[in-house]
Amino acid sequence: MNKKMKNTGVLVHTGADRNEISADDWNKGIKCITLLYHWGMIEGYEDALRIMGLYQNWIMQGAFKHEETLLPQLQGHLPPIMGPKIWACFHVGPYALLARALLQRGEGLVVLLKESVYKEQYPIYVEHFKRMFGRAPEPTELYFVCAEEMGALIKLRHCIERGLHVLCYVDGQEGAIADRGWTSVNVHHIPLDVRQGMAVLSQWTKTPICPLLMTVEEDRLRVRYRPEIAVTCKDDYGPALQYAYQLLETLRPEEFIQWEFSHHLFANMESVPVPDRDDLLVPVDIQGKIRIFNMGSRQILACREEAQSAVEDLRVHISKIF
């Protein structure tokens, strides 16, 4: 029996091998490739398998060589910096690199982080500062604000008044009040609800927003940014975030897989028509049951009991061929 894939549906890859990607990562890879297929950016099984291989290699790679290779490249591509800015970034590629580049230039910086990663990330930022300057940072040089805390925007405003840049990731969905502070954007005509806090901050402080993202292939860094934009009233909130999100639409398939949150966009695919695409069938495991997911129709197909083992073997084989 055919059924539409629910927004909460789980596409699970349950590999036992240490060399196989995790169930959650397999889920996200399938969703990412389905988006690319929906947009006509890839064609057929050969493309899909090639992109899955690149995705799998991406998420299983080691640490980036920030200082040795990528950081000098970023310094050569950054736009001119005059006065504090709100850097609207995305969880794409080596996204933490911008903070190090700004600090290296002697710019003061406040980083907006979600609470769940603060304890992990804070000592990393401080350690990089110590490596560059031989001492711990002062609050006027490097500061942190948790996105979920009440008064986060007020703290950021005070930091801007002290001359600090704001580094935020606009594809994060954290905020102090769950049901307030949202606006809507579109990525390739698929709607996505996003936090509007940085647009509000721009209006309050008369500080421009600078959208920027980075991707990397081998040791080559590509930097994309748009000219800074000013937010002057509430009517500008949505358009300002849309302006930033248009950077995602410039990514090639080989780069789009580097976006950590493409699965958020996949969750909204039911709100857009299904295009006329050929069937593209992928074996998946949904709550312990082997199924076939059709990337073309976005349907989940039942698998006969006698075929379960063969389909499972195919699924495991796909995960190991890269």
Side-chain angles (χ1 to χ4, degrees), residues 45-305:
Y45 286 104
E46 184 175 350
D47 266 356
L49 287 172
R50 179 178 63 85
I51 296 300
M52 177 57 88
L54 292 174
Y55 167 80
Q56 182 165 317
N57 291 337
W58 171 258
I59 62 174
M60 295 182 70
Q61 68 183 328
F64 293 113
K65 300 177 181 179
H66 295 299
E67 288 76 18
E68 292 84 353
T69 58
L70 301 183
L71 187 56
Q73 294 180 57
L74 177 56
Q75 291 290 18
H77 287 91
L78 277 181
I81 300 175
M82 297 181 63
K85 301 183 188 302
I86 299 171
W87 297 91
C89 302
F90 296 85
H91 291 86
V92 178
Y95 53 81
L97 199 61
L98 179 60
R100 293 166 192 143
L102 293 173
L103 291 172
Q104 191 178 64
R105 288 190 176 194
E107 302 286 348
L109 179 67
V110 54
V111 183
L112 184 67
L113 292 173
K114 64 180 181 180
E115 188 175 3
S116 61
V117 302
Y118 172 79
K119 290 183 179 180
E120 174 190 349
Q121 293 296 318
Y122 172 79
I124 295 175
Y125 279 96
V126 171
E127 179 60 29
H128 278 281
F129 188 96
K130 289 180 177 179
R131 290 180 184 178
M132 285 188 287
F133 300 106
R135 58 177 177 82
E138 299 291 335
T140 55
E141 297 171 311
L142 180 60
Y143 194 75
F144 298 88
V145 172
C146 290
E148 296 93 337
E149 67 178 286
M150 296 298 295
L153 287 182
I154 295 175
K155 289 186 176 181
L156 292 174
R157 182 179 67 183
H158 291 162
C159 288
I160 290 175
E161 291 170 351
R162 298 200 302 268
L164 274 67
H165 293 265
V166 174
L167 176 59
C168 68
Y169 298 98
V170 293
D171 55 349
Q173 298 186 331
E174 292 74 29
I177 304 176
D179 58 351
R180 291 176 56 189
W182 295 88
T183 189
S184 183
V185 300
N186 287 278
V187 180
H188 289 298
H189 306 293
I190 298 178
L192 183 67
D193 291 335
V194 300
R195 287 289 185 176
Q196 64 183 20
M198 292 306 100
V200 175
L201 184 65
S202 176
Q203 181 196 5
W204 282 2
T205 62
K206 297 181 173 57
T207 303
I209 293 177
C210 296
L212 182 144
L213 63 76
M214 295 166 284
T215 60
V216 63
E217 294 181 67
E218 297 180 352
D219 285 334
R220 296 187 301 275
L221 185 73
R222 179 163 185 183
V223 181
R224 288 176 171 86
Y225 63 87
R226 306 198 70 186
E228 62 186 43
I229 184 173
V231 178
T232 60
C233 64
K234 290 183 178 179
D235 290 341
D236 291 341
Y237 292 173
L241 271 299
Q242 181 66 64
Y243 179 78
Y245 265 81
Q246 284 172 349
L247 279 177
L248 290 175
E249 297 182 341
T250 69
L251 298 177
R252 297 178 295 109
E254 295 82 0
E255 298 172 299
F256 189 77
I257 59 170
Q258 298 179 23
W259 183 28
E260 287 188 10
F261 294 142
S262 62
H263 56 286
H264 291 167
L265 199 61
F266 175 90
N268 292 340
M269 290 189 77
E270 285 188 350
S271 65
V272 297
V274 177
D276 184 16
R277 304 288 287 156
D278 292 338
D279 292 343
L280 201 63
L281 307 180
V282 182
V284 295
D285 185 320
I286 301 177
Q287 298 177 351
K289 297 290 185 180
I290 302 301
R291 295 290 185 265
I292 301 295
F293 178 59
N294 188 335
M295 293 186 183
S297 65
R298 305 201 300 265
Q299 291 180 322
I300 294 175
L301 312 176
C303 182
R304 294 194 308 271
E305 190 67 30

